[in-house]
Every structure is written in C-alpha cells, then in structure tokens.
Amino acid sequence: MPPDRPVRIGVGGPVGTGKTALVAALCRTLGVEIELAVVTNDIYTDEDAEFLRRAGVLDPARITAVQTGCCPHTAIRDDISANLAAVEELEQRFRPLGLVLVESGGDNLTATFSRGLVDHQIFVLDVAGGDKVPRKGGPGVTNSDLLVINKTDLAPLVGADLDVMARDAEAKRGADRRVIFCSLVDDPSAADVASWVRDRLAAPV
Amino acid sequence: MNALALLLADGRFPAGGHAHSGGVEAAVMDARISDDASLSSYLAGRLATAGRVAAGLAAAAGSGSHPVLAVDLEAGARIASPALRVASAVQGRQLLRAARALGFDVPWKELHHAVAMGAVARAGGLGPTDAARWAAHESVTGAATAAIRLLGLDPFTVWNAVAALAPAIDELAASSAAIADGPLAELPARSAPLLDIGAERHACQEVRLFAS
C-alpha cells in the first residue's frame, strides 16, 4: 500500500443491507481520531446531506456523490474513472486525509470493488436477506476482506440462524478471512468494524 | 478494421463514459423521449448537431495541422451550456488519463471530450477520419445505451436504430476529415437548443442517475 496517500476502503453489498448506516456509524466513531471523507455511489439527496450534518456524522463537504449511469457495479469495478477522480479530488482538497470510504450503490452478490480503486473491501449482508445467502457465495461473500453480517437484532424476527450463517461464511471464506456480526441497534458505534478499520490503517506499508 | 480504433471506441473502455447519457436522461425527464420512435428521432438529431460538431473537432485535433489547445478553444466556444462544458471537460480528462495509462503521449491534463478523442487518436497512430468516426459513434451509442437503461427499451430495436445511422456516421467521418486541415473557425457549429436547455435543467435535478 503506498504511504503517500490515504487508505481507501470500499463498502459494498446488496440493496438494503445497511451500508449507508454502517458508513455513517464508522464516520461518527472514527471521525474524532482520523481525518476522513466519503465517496458515495448511492443516490444522495439534500435531505441525506442535511441528516448527516444534523447527526454530526461528517461535514457534508467531505462527501461526494458520484452518478453511476444505472450501472453500480461498473462504476466500482469495470470502469472506475469517475470514482477515482472523486476520491483523488477529496484527498487533494482535504489533505492530509487518513481514510476515504467508497460506498457502492446497492447491487447484487456479484458486485465487488476494483483493486485499482480501493485497498480493502467490506461486503455487507444482512440477516433479513435470508440465512442462506452466505452459502450462495459469490465474489463479495468469498473474497471481500471483511464480511459484515448486519442487523443481527432482526434474526429472531426473520427466522435467521446465525450459527448457520457463520458456518457457511467460514466455509466460503476460510478461517483467515474475517466475518463480523453487527447490529447498529445494539451497538450504534459499530465498534468491531471500526476496530477492524483501525487495524487496516495501522498495518505496515 | 483497425484494432486500436475498435478498442478506443469500445463501450467497455474505462474512460467513465457509462455515466453520461448524451442528454437522454434530461430528455426523458422532460418527456421528449419515451419510446422507440422518439429515441430514433433524438439520435438522428443528436448526430446531426452535437455529433457533427464533435466529429469536426475530433478530426481537427487528430489531423496534426492545428495546435491542440487552439482546437480546444474552438470546442469550448461551441458548447453554449455550462453544464455541458463541464461534462465535456470531465469526459475529456478521464479519457486522457485512460490513454496515458495505455502509454499514449497525451500530456494535456484537460481537453474537451471531442478534442481529447482527436488527440488520443493521433497519439495512437490513427488519423482524422478514425477520430471523427469515433466522436460521431460516441455521440449516438452513449445516448442509445442510456435510453435502454432508463426506459427498458428493447435493445435489439434500439440497436436497429443505431445501425441505421451507420452510413451517416461514415459520411460524417469522411466530410469531417476533408476539412480537418482547414481554418478552425469553419468547423461545424450547429447548435441544438434543446440539448443545451435540457442539460441545464438536468444539472439542477436533485436525483440524477447520470452525470450528464
């Protein structure tokens, strides 16, 4: 990883799994200790910016929205031009940054980030998507640096067996690749994920 | 058929083009495109205006007869809409960056899109005809693809309409190359007011799926 620029971490995963909420939680938790900025491919409105400002998550000036032309997977993987330009512009404008988060638009299990755009990637699933999803695999489940299984507080309500999900995720990913079970209802600070991010920032170049 | 020309014009070439709709999102928002027939008319009109202008600029930049920055000034003068000037500059910048990644000698950081196409074509050993054909092709195919995504139009029908424009694209390539060495002020300058107006309205929309 080059020492002369901030660490870039992608946050991807299917629609509705809680990527935006996780990004907001990470900004709130880490923003006091690290200079950060966000590029989002999600549809981002003035209302969203106002929410973030009022919640004290991150100065909206540090968030850039990038349009993907109805191709969320293309923008993070096959043709990263616009996202890369947005990341570099934020890094220049707010230097020195420690971390840039890139949030993809919600897509399906096959969408992952290009190594040309991010240094590490977090793939977010949620229990309400069904406890069989890790078993299906796909590049996000299998190859992401961190798999987050989100909204664990809903598991009893949707009949999701977390042990099954844990076992299936490990079978797909191997024992070395991290899986974190997360609930922003139980822990709004996303402490485990934030800790994983801190470890990435501290890792030797 | 030249392999490099094909590569550069390939819709998958990573120069950020997929996020630009060629004015289609604006036209859809304003209900000017809603079906196959309205899209066909739009594509023909776009080729005859913005496409013709782009082809002329690309040919001039690709000819080697003019300083590239002089062609770039002419390009800016032909884009009335500030939003379209920004979109052109963004796409030009992204294309130049991608070309440099391929080892092309294109030292400009920013050029208008059509001018960048000409400069990149020339750096790749292609001539003004190829440059013009690329620009004309781009003016139509980007728009057609966006319409497929936004409206769910049958891709076979849409590409039928695109293919119907192929002879006009070839003619435009040839006629653009024929004047590429001539005075820059005489390059095509056809305007399409609805493209300009649509672009300004589009830029103000809070929710846009495409950058332009």
Side-chain angles (χ1 to χ4, degrees):
Chain A
M1 178 190 329
D4 57 351
R5 65 156 174 78
V7 171
R8 299 165 180 170
I9 297 182
V11 181
V15 170
T17 55
K19 295 184 293 298
T20 305
L22 179 61
V23 168
L26 290 174
C27 288
R28 209 183 289 111
T29 301
L30 295 170
V32 290
E33 55 195 86
I34 307 167
E35 292 294 324
L36 36 80
V38 172
V39 171
T40 181
N41 288 185
D42 206 358
I43 294 173
Y44 181 67
T45 64
D46 292 342
E47 187 180 347
D48 295 325
E50 191 49 37
F51 168 78
L52 291 170
R53 186 185 297 117
R54 274 190 282 108
V57 165
L58 190 68
D59 176 4
R62 291 180 173 234
I63 304 170
T64 298
V66 169
Q67 291 88 18
T68 65
C70 306
C71 286
H73 55 281
T74 302
I76 61 169
R77 187 189 60 202
D78 314 328
D79 182 352
I80 60 177
S81 306
N83 273 316
L84 199 51
V87 168
E88 290 172 347
E89 194 274 330
L90 284 168
E91 290 174 349
Q92 179 66 22
R93 190 152 38 107
F94 293 103
R95 68 181 190 276
L97 288 176
L99 172 65
V100 179
L101 296 171
V102 182
E103 181 195 353
S104 77
D107 207 329
N108 59 30
L109 296 177
T110 64
T112 53
F113 283 85
S114 168
R115 287 292 167 190
L117 181 59
V118 302
D119 302 307
H120 310 283
Q121 46 189 301
I122 302 173
F123 198 76
V124 184
L125 295 178
D126 78 300
V127 304
D131 63 12
K132 295 181 180 46
V133 173
R135 197 178 313 154
K136 285 194 186 177
V141 168
T142 306
N143 297 331
S144 56
D145 299 301
L146 172 65
L147 177 66
V148 172
I149 298 180
N150 201 16
K151 308 187 191 176
T152 53
D153 53 290
L154 294 182
L157 299 172
V158 298
D161 185 331
L162 296 181
D163 290 333
V164 164
M165 296 184 87
R167 212 175 46 235
D168 290 345
E170 184 174 326
K172 287 290 177 193
R173 293 170 63 75
D176 294 340
R177 287 180 191 261
R178 193 81 192 277
V179 179
I180 292 178
F181 285 81
C182 178
S183 162
L184 295 178
V185 167
D186 296 340
D187 172 20
S189 74
D192 289 343
V193 181
S195 177
W196 181 89
V197 172
R198 280 193 204 93
D199 289 346
R200 304 282 79 70
L201 295 173
V205 174
Chain B
M1 219 185 286
N2 181 289
L4 184 64
L6 278 178
L7 273 177
L8 292 172
D10 193 318
R12 293 160 293 195
F13 185 74
H18 66 95
H20 294 264
S21 75
V24 166
E25 186 169 36
V28 168
M29 284 173 175
D30 290 343
R32 283 182 282 115
I33 300 176
S34 59
D35 58 15
D36 296 317
S38 47
L39 176 63
S40 275
S41 298
Y42 181 90
L43 293 177
R46 181 169 171 78
L47 180 63
T49 55
R52 177 172 287 270
V53 171
L57 292 163
S63 69
S65 301
H66 311 280
V68 165
L69 291 179
V71 185
D72 198 55
L73 271 177
E74 296 286 336
R78 284 164 173 71
I79 309 174
S81 151
L84 284 179
R85 270 203 297 284
V86 168
S88 172
V90 162
Q91 290 178 90
R93 199 161 54 228
Q94 288 173 166
L95 174 56
L96 289 167
R97 184 195 185 137
R100 279 193 288 276
L102 269 55
F104 283 36
D105 181 18
V106 281
W108 307 275
K109 184 153 185 262
E110 187 168 294
L111 293 172
H112 280 292
H113 195 199
V115 182
M117 284 189 238
V120 168
R122 181 168 166 74
L126 303 172
T129 313
D130 280 325
R133 189 171 5 248
W134 178 14
H137 166 93
E138 174 69 29
S139 78
V140 168
T141 53
T145 309
I148 289 169
R149 291 186 190 139
L150 288 169
L151 296 173
L153 298 177
D154 182 337
F156 296 117
T157 310
V158 171
W159 280 84
N160 189 338
V162 172
L165 293 172
I169 289 173
D170 282 331
E171 262 173 47
L172 186 52
S175 62
S176 302
I179 58 167
D181 301 319
L184 291 177
E186 288 173 23
L187 290 175
R190 290 191 184 169
S191 75
L194 286 178
L195 286 180
D196 291 324
I197 294 167
E200 290 301 305
R201 287 164 58 80
H202 180 261
C204 297
Q205 295 301 312
E206 206 190 16
V207 175
R208 292 177 289 143
L209 298 174
F210 288 81
S212 76

